[in-house]
Amino acid sequence: MKYITLFLIIALGTTQVSAQADIEQLKKHITYLASDDLEGRGTACEGERKAAEYLVKWFKKYKLSPKGDGGSFLQKFEFREPDPTNPHGFDTLSPKTVSHNVVAYLDNSAEHSVIIGAHYDHLGKGERAGSLSAEAKGKIHNGADDNASGTAGLLELARYYATNKAKEPYNFLFIAFSAEEMGLLGSKAFCERPGIDFKKVHLMINMDMIGRLDTANPRITVSGTGTSPQLQSLLIALQPKSFAVRPDSSGMGPSDHTSFYLKDIPVLHFFTGIHSDYHKPGDDAEKINYQGEKEVLDYMIIVTDSLLQLPKLAFTPTRNSTTGNAPRFKVTLGVIPDYAYQGEGIKLDGVTEGKPAQKAGIRKDDIILEIGNFPTPNIMDYMKALSQFKKGDQVKVKLKRSEELMEISIEF
Ligand SMILES: [Zn+2]
C-alpha cells in the first residue's frame, strides 16, 4: 500500500465533522469515578479497586480482549511505600504494596499498534504525599479532572475504536495506569513487562487532566510533539476552531507518557491546564467542562485517525532527554508551575500554604527566573536547580512580579 501524503491526510481529517465523543457517557463515567463512594481512588485502596472493576466492565462491553496477567484485564505490580521519615527513601521493612493496571486490546490483525493510556488513581483521602491542601488527611480527593477526566476519555476512545464501522490499519492497546500519583509507578511497571513488542508501537497517546478547558481562554497543551518529525505540523494543521493548541516538544513531563518516551516510543500527551483545585479536595465532577472535554476528544480522534494513515512513526529524542531520569529532590518550594506558560521562567499557578515559597512571600503569577544562582528558564532547568539544595539551605530567588524584578530570600 502506498501512503498518501500528509497534506492529503490533513485535508481528509478536516472533512470529518461527525460528533464522536459522547457527553452523556463522559458525565456518567466522571460522576462515578469521582464520587465519594470511590474515596479518591487512592493507589491500592478499595476505591481504586472499584474503579478498576468499572473499567473492566466497560472494556468487556466493548468486546475488547484482556491483555493483563493470565487472561485477565489486570496487570499486577508491586512497590514499596515511601518512607514516612524520609520522602526520598522507601520503607523496606513493611511488606510491598500490590496494585494493578487495567489493560485491554483491540486486535485489528495489523502489524503495528497504538497505545492509548490514562492514569485512574488519585490521592485517596490524602493519606500519602501529593495533596496541596493544608489539612489533607482524611479528606476525599475526588480527582474529577485528575484524572477521572482522562480515564473517561480512555473509555470513550475505546468505545469509538471498538464500535465504529472502520477496521483501522493499526491495533489498539488501551491501558489505565495505577500509582501515577506516586511517581508514574504503574506505567513504569507496564513498560518493564508490556506484553506487546515495543518495536511495533506506532505511538503512545496519554491523557492526564483534560476536563477543565477554560471557557474564557480555551487552549490545550499537547506535549511530545518533538518525539517524531511529523507530529507538530499535523497537530497544528488539524487545530479546531473551538480552542488553541499549544505544542510542547518535550517527551518528558509529569505524567505517564514519560515512561514510554524513555523506551524510545513517540508520545503525545493532552492536557487542558492546571487550576486552583489541582491536587485539592475540591477537584469535583460538577466543575468539569463536559462540552470542552468532548471537543478535546473529538480533536484527539481526528489527530489519531490521521496518524493511522501514516507508516510507523520514527522516534526522535527531544531537548530534555539528555538528563536521563528526572532529578531527585531533597527539598520542595511548594509551588504549582503553569505548564502551559510559554515565556521565559517558571510562572506560578499557585503556592502551597505553609511551604517555603509561601512563607517567603512568593505569590501566584510570580515568574521565577533564578534559584540560588541557577537560572530557571524552563521546567527542566527549574527541576535541576531544585535538586541542588537540601533542607535548611537559605537561597535567593530572583523573580518577576508584574513587570518588576525582585529578589526574595527563602529557606528550604
Ligand atoms: Zn494526574
Side-chain angles (χ1 to χ4, degrees):
M1 172 187 164
K2 267 225 158 76
Y3 291 96
I4 46 177
T5 64
L6 186 62
F7 177 76
L8 191 53
I9 292 157
I10 289 163
L12 283 173
T14 48
T15 57
Q16 294 173 350
V17 288
S18 60
Q20 286 128 347
D22 184 290
I23 288 189
E24 293 312 313
Q25 291 291 111
L26 293 173
K27 274 188 190 157
K28 179 165 65 189
H29 296 324
I30 294 173
T31 305
Y32 177 70
L33 293 167
S35 65
D36 284 352
D37 192 33
L38 267 60
E39 298 185 316
R41 309 181 307 284
T43 298
C45 297
E46 175 65 14
E48 196 206 35
R49 205 186 49 70
K50 284 186 189 169
E53 253 172 42
Y54 183 80
L55 288 160
V56 169
K57 180 183 91 179
W58 286 97
F59 284 156
K60 280 185 180 163
K61 198 169 262 184
Y62 302 144
K63 300 197 168 50
L64 297 171
S65 315
K67 199 71 171 164
D69 304 324
S72 80
F73 285 94
L74 301 182
Q75 181 192 39
K76 174 179 154 180
F77 63 93
E78 297 179 328
F79 61 89
R80 295 227 181 256
E81 293 286 340
D83 183 343
T85 60
N86 168 14
H88 302 282
F90 293 96
D91 183 355
T92 49
L93 299 174
S94 306
K96 284 184 177 175
T97 304
V98 174
S99 196
H100 298 90
N101 296 320
V102 188
V103 201
Y105 191 58
L106 174 59
D107 189 351
N108 284 328
S109 318
E111 170 85 4
H112 300 103
S113 301
V114 171
I115 299 176
I116 301 184
H119 77 85
Y120 74 103
D121 65 302
H122 191 51
L123 300 171
K125 291 198 240 172
E127 18 325 65
R128 296 184 180 104
S131 177
L132 294 172
S133 155
E135 283 157 27
K137 282 218 166 67
K139 285 187 194 144
I140 300 177
H141 290 59
N142 289 311
D145 185 33
D146 188 8
N147 185 28
S149 68
T151 311
L154 177 74
L155 285 175
E156 269 303 89
L157 294 180
R159 183 184 64 78
Y160 174 77
Y161 285 109
T163 62
N164 67 359
K165 291 268 166 7
K167 186 174 177 181
E168 281 78 20
Y170 283 86
N171 310 309
F172 287 88
L173 188 125
F174 299 100
I175 174 163
F177 305 108
S178 174
E180 188 272 351
E181 302 287 9
M182 301 189 64
L184 320 184
L185 300 185
S187 55
K188 276 183 205 160
F190 176 78
C191 286
E192 293 314 313
R193 204 159 53 83
I196 177 174
D197 184 356
F198 268 0
K199 288 195 191 71
K200 297 195 167 171
V201 174
H202 193 37
L203 85 159
M204 190 272 173
I205 298 171
N206 188 43
M207 291 162 275
D208 193 354
M209 301 174 62
I210 57 166
R212 292 280 195 111
L213 186 69
D214 188 355
T215 43
N217 179 18
R219 60 173 189 187
I220 67 166
T221 301
V222 184
S223 299
T225 58
T227 61
S228 190
Q230 287 142 303
L231 292 175
Q232 177 139 338
S233 51
L234 189 138
L235 280 156
I236 297 298
L238 296 176
Q239 182 166 243
K241 285 201 187 75
S242 51
F243 56 82
V245 175
R246 293 191 148 188
D248 158 32
S249 65
S250 177
M252 301 253 302
S255 190
D256 295 301
H257 58 289
T258 303
S259 305
F260 292 81
Y261 170 75
L262 292 172
K263 295 287 178 188
D264 294 350
I265 293 174
V267 295
L268 286 178
H269 165 53
F270 291 78
F271 174 49
T272 50
I274 214 106
H275 45 78
S276 57
D277 294 310
Y278 172 72
H279 278 206
K280 288 183 184 162
D283 180 4
D284 286 329
E286 63 268 20
K287 294 178 189 160
I288 295 293
N289 175 356
Y290 290 97
Q291 174 62 31
E293 175 159 352
K294 179 205 149 41
E295 284 164 12
V296 171
L297 287 164
D298 286 348
Y299 170 63
M300 288 181 68
I301 289 172
I302 289 173
V303 167
T304 306
D305 282 347
S306 299
L307 289 169
L308 296 178
Q309 306 305 318
L310 296 175
K312 185 183 168 303
L313 294 173
F315 172 76
T316 45
T318 57
R319 63 180 196 281
N320 292 339
S321 64
T322 46
T323 53
N325 287 329
R328 302 191 123 251
F329 309 109
K330 297 188 194 72
V331 296
T332 172
L333 209 51
V335 300
I336 308 168
D338 174 359
Y339 290 102
Y341 176 64
Q342 299 278 294
E344 183 105 345
I346 304 304
K347 183 160 190 259
L348 303 183
D349 242 327
V351 294
T352 311
E353 263 166 66
K355 292 280 163 63
Q358 187 259 343
K359 281 189 190 161
I362 293 175
R363 302 182 201 154
K364 179 179 185 307
D365 294 325
D366 285 351
I367 298 169
I368 297 182
L369 303 171
E370 222 177 275
I371 305 177
N373 294 327
F374 294 95
T376 58
N378 54 51
I379 294 277
M380 213 55 199
D381 286 320
Y382 163 75
M383 296 206 291
K384 272 191 238 162
L386 264 192
S387 70
Q388 306 300 316
F389 303 108
K390 55 185 192 312
K391 229 177 164 38
D393 283 354
Q394 297 190 352
V395 298
K396 292 229 184 304
V397 174
K398 278 196 189 140
L399 56 84
K400 199 157 90 175
R401 179 173 295 166
S402 301
E403 282 312 304
E404 194 188 342
L405 287 170
M406 340 184 22
E407 219 174 65
I408 291 185
S409 300
I410 68 151
E411 182 180 334
F412 284 114

